[in-house]
Amino acid sequence: MKLLSALLCIVVLVFSHILIVSAEEIEIGYDGGISNAAGYGLGGAKLGVRFTPPTYPCKVVAAKFYVTRTYEDCSVCNVLILDDDGSSGAPGSTIFGPTEAGPADSTGWMRYNIPTEDQFVVETGDFYINWIYEGCGTLGLSGGATHPERQWADIFGDWAIFHEDLSFMIRAIVEAENVPTWEYTWGHIKRLYE
């Protein structure tokens, strides 16, 4: 520990402060992390979550879905990513998809990597990642929605906020170049180790 402290002090002496600026993956999610139910839908029904990046700009590189049921050789769903340029910030223009997510190996979190050429940068506003019932999987639902205004559904052709006490287990993976960090001065570091 003393060696680490000495090295840190040397780094801080050389630089007046430390600021890490590098691209790293950040997972954004608004669900409770535990699947309490499964979402079923009619063919073509869409369930989506509105995501706000932690910083701008950020690149959207993947989507994650909690799959509660799978079938061999059957895509679990279609993935659709929409802009927030609909009426009053509702899902609007298509950014990516729809495309098959592919089969899941097991139940639990499934990551769908957006092909490199289709990854996109969000400069302002929000975006929606949607699960479309075209496959044969079921989406996990987490009880006790803490962000109900972020849960959207399009069952009969119109997007609307999903007014149930459930969260869709859909997450976004983004790369942010300007990751929020803290700057520490020499005085602050010194006080930590006195």
Side-chain angles (χ1 to χ4, degrees):
M1 186 65 163
K2 288 186 179 191
L3 178 61
L4 178 62
S5 299
L7 289 173
L8 184 57
C9 289
I10 290 169
V11 170
V12 173
L13 283 173
V14 174
F15 306 101
S16 63
H17 59 273
I18 299 172
L19 180 63
I20 301 170
V21 180
S22 62
E24 68 176 64
E25 283 192 353
I26 300 170
E27 183 170 305
I28 309 170
Y30 304 105
D31 58 81
I34 298 172
S35 177
N36 305 105
Y40 295 88
L42 306 170
K46 302 173 189 80
L47 303 179
V49 175
R50 188 185 81 228
F51 293 94
T52 302
T55 185
Y56 299 100
C58 78
K59 183 179 1 175
V60 181
V61 298
K64 282 179 74 174
F65 303 98
Y66 193 92
V67 181
T68 59
R69 185 177 70 186
T70 64
Y71 295 96
E72 192 175 317
D73 299 328
C74 181
S75 181
V76 295
C77 71
N78 283 353
V79 180
L80 175 65
I81 301 178
L82 301 174
D83 199 352
D84 68 341
D85 59 357
S87 177
S88 299
S93 304
T94 299
I95 298 172
F96 172 77
T99 189
E100 286 188 7
D105 296 331
S106 62
T107 59
W109 286 107
M110 173 191 173
R111 178 175 168 140
Y112 173 78
N113 292 313
I114 298 169
T116 304
E117 63 274 10
D118 293 319
Q119 294 175 359
F120 59 95
V121 174
V122 178
E123 299 284 348
T124 61
D126 296 342
F127 62 95
Y128 292 82
I129 296 181
N130 305 283
W131 164 293
I132 304 176
Y133 282 100
E134 293 292 351
C136 50
T138 55
L139 178 65
L141 304 175
S142 180
T146 56
H147 300 278
E149 76 287 354
R150 293 189 174 276
Q151 317 301 314
W152 288 71
D154 176 355
I155 308 299
F156 301 109
D158 292 315
W159 283 104
I161 292 177
F162 186 71
H163 292 286
E164 298 292 332
D165 192 27
L166 296 166
S167 296
F168 303 137
M169 296 185 76
I170 300 172
R171 295 183 179 177
I173 307 293
V174 300
E175 286 181 358
E177 291 186 11
N178 300 317
V179 179
T181 58
W182 291 269
E183 292 185 16
Y184 291 100
T185 63
W186 163 244
H188 183 257
I189 297 295
K190 186 177 174 185
R191 284 191 299 277
L192 290 174
Y193 293 99
E194 290 181 328

